[in-house]
Amino acid sequence: MKSRIHPDSRLVVFRDRAADTAFLTRSTVDSSRTIEWEDGNTYPLVDVEVSSASHPFYTGRTRVLDSAGRVERFERRYGRAATARG
């Protein structure tokens, strides 16, 4: 690996605001905010909106879509004949 071409990797805390969880991992991201972690050390803090703790794909909780409303909207827009043709 060539020297001085890769960014410095360090321990960073990512906090998921939606799930109210935090992860300590290695990253190259830089942050001016810090947080004291469970081990007593201080690490840079990055707030994220979505992580594996809150994303519906990873949690198994899916959003219920209004499928009847979508069908009605389609029929209003294109008419009943479009749905009969298949």
Side-chain angles (χ1 to χ4, degrees):
M1 190 161 54
K2 291 184 179 181
S3 63
R4 294 183 282 152
I5 64 167
H6 299 284
D8 291 330
S9 175
R10 62 190 152 283
L11 290 172
V12 177
V13 175
F14 287 91
R15 182 172 54 191
D16 184 345
R17 294 171 44 182
D20 197 29
T21 60
F23 305 94
L24 178 65
T25 187
R26 295 194 70 82
S27 178
T28 59
V29 70
D30 194 18
S31 175
S32 60
R33 299 176 58 197
T34 60
I35 189 172
E36 186 173 333
W37 192 244
E38 300 161 352
D39 61 3
N41 294 327
T42 302
Y43 299 104
L45 172 67
V46 177
D47 283 325
V48 294
E49 295 295 324
V50 177
S51 72
S52 60
S54 63
H55 194 280
F57 179 79
Y58 295 105
T59 60
R61 291 179 287 160
T62 58
R63 296 181 188 146
V64 177
L65 296 176
D66 180 20
S67 61
R70 288 179 176 217
V71 170
E72 291 169 1
R73 190 172 354 141
F74 178 84
E75 288 177 353
R76 273 196 319 261
R77 189 176 291 163
Y78 299 107
R80 192 73 139 142
T83 58
R85 279 186 276 172

